Amino acid sequence: MAGKEYDDAKSYDFQCFNKKRFYNVQKTETEKYRLFNILGQDVLKEEYDSINNGYRFTIAKRGNDIDVFNLYNKKLNIGKAKVVKMVDACVAGCIEVLNEEGAYYYDEMGNKLKHPIMGSISLCKMVSKWQHNILKKEGNYQMQIYTEDPGSPKEDERYWLSDLLPTDVVTFLDGEKSFFQSENSSLCGDIDVRPEWIRVGRKGKFGIIAYEYKQKKGVKPKVITERSYSRRSKMLVYPTLKITGKTILPINNDSIIMRSDGLIYFYKDKKVGLFPLNKVPVYDEITQDTESFYRIVKNGITGWLDIKTDKEYWK
């Protein structure tokens, strides 16, 4: 265990410390596990069914019990934990915990956090970019895909979504008609609205139709030269391609929306579900507590859903 010399230490005092470099997990003769330091000392003084020694934390399990030790090998008071996850890319160590009270973030000292303190990221400016636009021309819906790839001509593709009706209400899953993304989008935490899945409203009900945007082999685009001040650039314009989609969520729901957490919520008969996890709405309520854990109410019973594993936990 940590000595008294660490009592006044702060998490940022050891910001670059990596536990994995100084400790290793060893299997015992009893098929259990112990944690040893580089001097061969048994630092936890206990054996466990499993030990996950991470960058800032050690998570040890014995039966249904979970113990968490910080970088000073001090056991943290995190309640009766059901699930513990290490949060990556934090400025200081952070864990995500589901216990008997709910889901919370904890720092390396066992203090609750409102949210993890994430580190900075570096972005590259020379990346590929895509713009998806839903267009309506003469009653027909089209998907326009505008691509900018460094060092290559720009591309303009258009797909006629032939199975949609002129009276349909057509958007991306977030309710918008335009969507921009680049190779930096995932690094920036931008949600992917999945432009291949289209939200369709028909006669007051909503569903999702999936499309595949793929050019046929041998198609030759028209080359257009664009001028911007003294610069010239080429654009490849492809002929409009007729495609049909596949209904992956029937058009019989009261509402469908992708929220800022990137999940697809759909509502019907005063119930809510998450697509594609649920085929029909099953929850009375669902609200986000942490990145992984959502508080749910099903048939009047409160619990939590781990959206990373799709597993439900109940009080």
Side-chain angles (χ1 to χ4, degrees):
M1 302 298 289
K4 292 183 179 180
E5 63 269 27
Y6 299 110
D7 288 349
D8 296 327
K10 304 298 182 183
S11 58
Y12 50 77
D13 291 335
F14 296 89
Q15 187 169 335
C16 296
F17 184 84
N18 185 346
K19 290 196 72 175
K20 300 179 75 171
R21 296 178 182 174
F22 300 94
Y23 301 93
N24 67 87
V25 180
Q26 295 184 17
K27 195 172 187 178
T28 68
E29 295 179 354
T30 59
E31 301 296 313
K32 302 296 182 180
Y33 296 88
R34 289 180 179 269
L35 185 69
F36 292 87
N37 61 18
I38 57 177
L39 300 177
Q41 297 170 324
D42 183 357
V43 295
L44 302 183
K45 310 298 184 185
E46 296 183 68
E47 62 180 20
Y48 291 87
D49 297 334
S50 67
I51 296 178
N52 180 8
N53 187 47
Y55 173 63
R56 308 292 285 186
F57 297 93
T58 300
I59 301 175
K61 298 181 180 180
R62 185 190 299 113
N64 294 324
D65 296 328
I66 303 177
D67 291 335
V68 177
F69 300 86
N70 62 14
L71 71 167
Y72 320 113
N73 294 320
K74 178 181 178 181
K75 185 186 295 187
L76 301 182
N77 181 13
I78 57 172
K80 177 66 174 177
K82 300 174 183 287
V83 186
V84 178
K85 301 185 180 188
M86 301 182 202
V87 180
D88 297 326
C90 292
V91 173
C94 177
I95 51 175
E96 191 179 10
V97 177
L98 176 65
N99 58 28
E100 73 278 12
E101 296 180 354
Y104 307 94
Y105 294 110
Y106 289 87
D107 67 13
E108 293 171 347
M109 301 303 174
N111 301 313
K112 288 182 180 179
L113 298 173
K114 289 185 178 180
H115 53 77
I117 303 174
M118 308 305 289
S120 59
I121 58 174
S122 298
L123 301 177
C124 178
K125 294 183 179 180
M126 298 295 291
V127 296
S128 298
K129 303 174 184 178
W130 301 270
Q131 176 82 35
H132 290 72
N133 301 307
I134 296 176
L135 309 176
K136 189 176 184 180
K137 290 192 172 184
E138 299 179 353
N140 297 320
Y141 282 101
Q142 293 184 7
M143 175 64 67
Q144 179 191 44
I145 305 177
Y146 188 73
T147 303
E148 291 187 54
D149 194 6
S152 301
K154 299 176 183 178
E155 295 184 2
D156 187 341
E157 302 174 74
R158 303 204 181 195
Y159 298 88
W160 172 22
L161 311 182
S162 62
D163 48 347
L164 297 181
L165 305 178
T167 53
D168 288 341
V169 179
V170 181
T171 68
F172 293 115
L173 296 174
D174 62 351
E176 301 294 331
K177 290 182 178 290
S178 294
F179 169 60
F180 171 85
Q181 66 180 155
S182 75
E183 290 179 311
N184 286 330
S185 293
S186 60
L187 296 174
C188 296
D190 298 336
I191 65 170
D192 181 2
V193 302
R194 306 187 72 156
E196 69 276 10
W197 289 4
I198 299 300
R199 184 181 74 169
V200 178
R202 184 175 295 167
K203 296 182 180 180
K205 297 295 181 178
F206 294 86
I208 299 176
I209 299 180
Y211 292 91
E212 183 179 11
Y213 310 124
K214 186 177 181 180
Q215 290 291 333
K216 294 182 178 180
K217 291 183 179 180
V219 174
K220 294 184 178 180
K222 182 178 181 181
V223 181
I224 297 178
T225 300
E226 294 184 318
R227 295 183 180 182
S228 177
Y229 299 102
S230 60
R231 298 181 58 186
R232 293 186 179 184
S233 60
K234 293 183 178 180
M235 177 182 289
L236 306 181
V237 180
Y238 289 84
T240 301
L241 180 63
K242 179 181 178 181
I243 61 174
T244 57
K246 177 182 178 181
T247 300
I248 57 175
L249 187 63
I251 307 176
N252 60 8
N253 299 281
D254 299 328
S255 178
I256 299 173
I257 189 69
M258 175 182 280
R259 302 196 184 280
S260 59
D261 55 8
L263 300 185
I264 305 168
Y265 296 75
F266 66 111
Y267 301 82
K268 184 179 181 181
D269 298 332
K270 298 182 179 180
K271 296 281 188 178
V272 57
L274 296 175
F275 184 81
L277 171 61
N278 308 124
K279 301 306 179 185
V280 295
V282 295
Y283 300 115
D284 303 320
E285 300 175 18
I286 180 167
T287 54
Q288 185 177 18
D289 280 354
T290 63
E291 181 180 356
S292 299
F293 299 109
Y294 283 63
R295 187 182 299 268
I296 55 176
V297 179
K298 181 191 285 189
N299 300 323
I301 302 174
T302 299
W304 290 269
L305 171 67
D306 183 345
I307 63 165
K308 303 295 178 64
T309 63
D310 297 337
K311 185 175 180 179
E312 298 174 340
Y313 298 86
W314 304 100
K315 284 187 174 181

